[in-house]
Amino acid sequence: MKKFRPLVALAALSAAVLSLTGCAPQAEEAQSEGFGDLSVQFSWIKNAEFAGEYFADSNGYYTEAGFSSVNFIAGPTATAAVVLSGDALVGLSDAVAVTPVILEEGAPLKIIGATYQKNPFTILSLKDGANIQTAQDLIGKRIGVQAGGNETLFDALLAANGIDASQVTKVPVEYDPAPLVNGEVDGFLAYVTNESITVQNLGYEVTNLLFADAGLPFVAEAFVVTQDSIDNNREALKAFLKATIRGWKDAIANPDEGARLAAEVYGADLGLDINKEKQQSKAQNELLVVTEETKVNGLLTISENLQALNIATLKAAGYEITAEQLFDMSLLAEVYAENPELLG
């Protein structure tokens, strides 16, 4: 079963930040023959979550953009550390994971776009069980929460809704939703595009309390890069963004093929369930990737309004940061200005 992305361990990143001097290996100006190899650090295993990247690779968009080869690195891992070390030009993470690294470690990182306009975190419950529909429904309930980053997120959910931690019983769980199905917990911290589907496929009707709709909206599958790459390898980043937008347009148009690429090609050794991958591929497109804002501004963009919501979420989680410290949307703006057909 799918594990959740832990918030980055700050201590583990210290060495990476301190050792970052000069340009990282992938933060060099592109040579005349192209940008060289492209390495992308995924936030999770190679499932349908990254369908757009699979399309961009398999359809040759990264090659057309000037990259000689593509290396997708499976997660989960400390994405920020991988990007800081130069082992990946781009890493996928989320605003809540990146912010403490920037603030507490002084890491020169920025988010330059995001696939998921809404984060997929949810409190999953059974409809004929606790049926947790609102944050206030959490009071008096037993909620299965994974240790580490997920616990931090859950505490932030409570704080954002004025719920004292003593009013809810946190039950330590792993990543298999069996405790929910077995009645050991009333709710389970999950992904709406993953465990929620898993439980539904077992024959249960479920209720999802989305964090994004309960006071904690933040972007996920966000593209994290170093400031040095923005300053010195800007064209390579723009080439990556352009190719990835093309890939996600294909993924939205053909979610079943995105699922097939995950199950049969990129994640072929994982034993993925093709039917579940199809469900996930479709659900993420409809719930997380395509929004009214992306229809106007383009895929991967993070509007000023959404940036402000992210900053408010981070404040609720105890992190004071400005949009200018965390986001740089100038590259995507240039990509769309130079390639207006991508908005179609």
Side-chain angles (χ1 to χ4, degrees):
M1 294 293 178
K2 180 177 179 180
K3 298 181 181 179
F4 298 102
R5 292 83 173 142
L7 294 181
V8 180
L10 300 179
L13 290 174
S14 297
V17 176
L18 293 174
S19 65
L20 185 67
T21 58
C23 296
Q26 291 215 26
E28 300 170 354
E29 281 293 349
Q31 302 302 313
S32 58
E33 64 271 16
F35 300 114
D37 299 337
L38 170 66
S39 290
V40 181
Q41 176 63 59
F42 285 168
S43 60
W44 192 241
I45 61 173
K46 295 178 181 179
N47 65 359
E49 211 160 299
F50 312 103
E53 285 77 11
Y54 302 152
F55 272 107
D57 181 36
S58 62
N59 287 344
Y61 301 153
Y62 289 129
T63 300
E64 291 177 24
F67 296 103
S68 56
S69 67
V70 180
N71 177 32
F72 294 141
I73 309 168
T77 189
T79 295
V82 176
V83 174
L84 287 166
S85 72
D87 288 337
L89 177 67
V90 179
L92 279 80
S93 186
D94 63 66
V96 178
V98 174
T99 295
V101 188
I102 295 172
L103 293 178
E104 299 178 25
E105 296 295 331
L109 297 170
K110 288 284 179 66
I111 290 173
I112 62 171
T115 307
Y116 286 179
Q117 300 292 295
K118 294 173 67 174
N119 75 79
F121 287 99
T122 183
I123 298 299
L124 176 66
S125 60
L126 301 182
K127 196 163 188 178
D128 63 356
N131 193 30
I132 299 171
Q133 301 181 52
T134 71
Q136 294 305 309
D137 291 340
L138 293 167
I139 295 174
K141 301 297 193 304
R142 301 163 298 160
I143 308 299
V145 181
Q146 301 79 13
N150 286 352
E151 188 170 6
T152 301
L153 280 173
F154 182 70
D155 290 345
L157 178 69
L158 298 181
N161 289 279
I163 300 172
D164 191 271
S166 64
Q167 295 177 283
V168 180
T169 301
K170 283 191 292 188
V171 179
V173 294
E174 295 299 325
Y175 305 98
D176 184 335
L180 176 66
V181 174
N182 296 337
E184 298 169 34
V185 296
D186 301 305
F188 187 88
L189 201 159
Y191 252 35
V192 68
T193 51
N194 190 38
E195 286 76 14
S196 180
I197 294 172
T198 296
V199 175
Q200 288 180 75
N201 287 346
L202 292 174
Y204 296 91
E205 288 190 69
V206 302
T207 300
N208 282 289
L209 171 61
L210 291 170
F211 282 39
D213 296 333
L216 286 184
F218 60 89
V219 293
E221 300 306 354
F223 299 114
V224 181
V225 303
T226 63
Q227 184 63 51
D228 184 76
S229 290
I230 294 174
D231 295 338
N232 300 304
N233 210 7
R234 190 177 188 88
E235 292 307 312
L237 291 177
K238 287 170 60 178
F240 164 80
L241 289 170
K242 178 182 177 181
T244 304
I245 291 167
R246 294 178 68 190
W248 272 103
K249 286 173 73 70
D250 289 351
I252 292 164
N254 195 346
D256 283 358
E257 176 62 9
R260 188 197 69 80
L261 287 171
E264 298 181 9
V265 182
Y266 294 90
D269 60 339
L270 300 177
L272 299 173
D273 179 341
I274 184 62
N275 290 322
K276 180 174 178 293
E277 294 304 302
K278 287 180 179 179
Q279 291 173 287
Q280 177 169 345
S281 187
K282 184 174 184 291
Q284 69 185 6
N285 288 347
E286 296 175 354
L287 297 174
L288 309 174
V289 178
V290 179
T291 67
E292 291 303 315
E293 289 188 346
T294 63
K295 290 176 183 177
V296 174
N297 302 320
L299 296 173
L300 313 186
T301 55
I302 309 172
S303 69
E304 290 185 3
N305 178 61
L306 185 53
Q307 290 178 49
L309 290 174
N310 275 256
I311 298 305
T313 290
L314 292 163
K315 185 174 182 180
Y319 299 111
E320 296 275 355
I321 193 169
T322 65
E324 291 73 21
Q325 287 176 284
L326 183 58
F327 300 107
D328 186 340
M329 293 296 103
S330 65
L331 293 95
L332 263 178
E334 290 176 20
V335 168
Y336 280 113
E338 296 164 7
N339 306 274
E341 72 279 2
L342 293 177
L343 286 169

